[in-house]
Structures are given as structure tokens and as C-alpha cells.
Amino acid sequence: YSNIISGNIPSSLGSLKKLMLFDVEENDLTGQLPDEIFNSPEMVTMYIADNDFTGTMPSTIGIMTKLNYFFAYYNAFEGRIPSEIGKLVALKYVDLDGNRFSGSVPMQIGNCRQLDTVLFNNNLLNGEIPESLLNDLPNLSYLRLEKNWLYGTINTSNQVCINDAYILADCGGIDPRVDCDPGCCNYCYTSSPTVSPTNVPSDIPSVVPSFLPSIIPSHVPSDVPSD
């Protein structure tokens, strides 16, 4: 964490089959992640955030079925979020904020029924918000979808609203892409991923939930960028 490490992630790290915690956050790492980096079935926590990683997210992410916490925000990942994310049945927290992910949110996200926090904001995601994200996650309490090209309806009959989750989406402006019932969305951004909103409310929660285990570093920054 924060060691000014540069260069690429070596594929040889994939030989560490019993690795449980991987933290290279806030460095100057570049290039595409090797598929082998996800060949750690015992992995519980992975911090690869705040670097300069590029390319697509490998489908081998689905190997890490014990993964609880995945932080990949503030990189330059592109392409689709792999559908194999649905194999991460122990996943509680996923943060992909501030990348260039495109395509639709995979419907398989609904298989991750332990999810508490989903942060997909500040990307280039498009298509309809999947019903599985809104209805199949009984523990979801924090959802950020704003500053994408997603569309759809979030209403009081959705499980995410019944959960009283904290929701941010592109439901503001004259012609919002997301139709959100009053009482569901806590803050509505204007429908453009390239325009930073003003008057962001001060009560947006931190990205660090209270249930993070003690082995998790406490240095995760506030999720709302200053720019």
C-alpha cells in the first residue's frame, strides 16, 4: 500500500494459491492485470485501487469464490464487467468507481447474495439496470450507479428500496435516464457521466462499512472525489 511501486504485476503471483490478502493500493502500477493474479481461491480481500491498470477485467476473477472485499476504483479498466463476478458468492463489498467499464451490468450480480455495498459509479456502463441488482440482494445497503449511461426504474417494490439502501443514480435533471420513486434514491445526479455534480450532500456515507474485519487497512479514502 502506497509504496510508489511502478511497473506491471507479475503473473508469477498466481502461484500463491493460499494468498488471502493482496494490497497494492495507491501505487504507480500499470498495464493489464494477468489472468493468473486471480488464481488464488483462498483470497478474501483484494486492494488494487488507485493505480493505472488498463485493459479488461479477466474472467478468472470467478475463481476467487471466498472473496469478501474487492477494491478496484480509480484505474483505467475498460470493457465489460465479467459475468463471472456472479461466482463470487461470498462477496460483500465491490468498488469499481472511476474506471471505464462499459456494457451492461451483468445480471449474474444477483448471485452474490451477501453483497452489502455495490459502487459502480463513474464509468461508461449502459443498458437497463438489471432486476437482479434491484431485487435479488437481500443485504444490499449502499448502491451507487450515478455518472453512467444506465437507464431503468427503481421503485418502492424493489428489494433494494425495501432494504432502505442508500442509493445514488442518474435520476435528476429534466430528462433523467433513471426513474426513481421518491423515498428510494437518496441523491439524484444529472444524466451525464462527464459532468461533476454540485452540492453533493455531506451525508453520503464513507466507503468503509463498519463490518470490515480488522485485517483490512483503514486507509480507504472517501468515495466522493473532490473533483
Side-chain angles (χ1 to χ4, degrees):
Y1 157 66
S2 195
N3 289 307
I4 321 179
I5 301 172
S6 59
N8 298 337
I9 294 287
S11 60
S12 58
L13 284 176
S15 63
L16 303 176
K17 302 298 183 182
K18 295 186 178 181
L19 190 65
M20 297 177 66
L21 172 63
F22 183 66
D23 186 354
V24 293
E25 183 183 3
E26 291 187 24
N27 283 289
D28 296 315
L29 294 166
T30 58
Q32 184 162 345
L33 287 177
D35 290 0
E36 294 84 357
I37 194 64
F38 295 116
N39 289 343
S40 299
E42 301 299 318
M43 186 73 70
V44 175
T45 302
M46 179 174 279
Y47 279 95
I48 56 175
D50 209 353
N51 281 284
D52 293 304
F53 292 122
T54 57
T56 59
M57 186 69 65
S59 62
T60 48
I61 191 174
I63 294 174
M64 301 189 299
T65 56
K66 295 183 180 180
L67 189 68
N68 287 173
Y69 308 100
F70 184 53
F71 297 85
Y73 56 85
Y74 300 169
N75 279 289
F77 290 116
E78 59 187 5
R80 291 179 175 272
I81 299 172
S83 61
E84 286 79 6
I85 196 172
K87 296 180 180 180
L88 307 182
V89 294
L91 192 63
K92 297 179 180 178
Y93 198 107
V94 56
D95 188 348
L96 304 182
D97 172 20
N99 282 281
R100 297 182 62 82
F101 287 109
S102 59
S104 58
V105 175
M107 61 179 297
Q108 291 84 355
I109 192 76
N111 297 334
C112 307
R113 293 179 61 82
Q114 302 301 315
L115 271 172
D116 173 273
T117 299
V118 174
L119 307 179
F120 287 168
N121 49 308
N122 293 297
N123 279 284
L124 299 171
L125 296 169
N126 55 59
E128 188 171 7
I129 301 170
E131 286 294 314
S132 58
L133 178 60
L134 302 178
N135 288 315
D136 294 348
L137 303 176
N139 299 308
L140 191 60
S141 66
Y142 188 18
L143 176 62
R144 296 196 66 168
L145 300 174
E146 82 276 6
K147 299 176 77 174
N148 282 289
W149 298 107
L150 296 167
Y151 68 89
T153 300
I154 305 175
N155 58 54
T156 53
S157 66
N158 292 137
Q159 183 64 50
V160 68
C161 292
I162 295 172
N163 292 353
D164 196 25
Y166 200 105
I167 304 171
L168 295 89
D170 293 321
C171 47
I174 298 174
D175 187 22
R177 283 188 296 273
V178 178
D179 181 12
C180 193
D181 281 358
C184 280
C185 290
N186 296 80
Y187 189 76
C188 286
Y189 286 67
T190 56
S191 298
S192 175
T194 60
V195 178
S196 297
T198 58
N199 301 318
V200 177
S202 60
D203 62 341
I204 291 179
S206 165
V207 295
V208 184
S210 60
F211 56 77
L212 283 178
S214 58
I215 63 169
I216 305 299
S218 59
H219 55 261
V220 183
S222 170
D223 182 63
V224 181
S226 59
D227 58 355

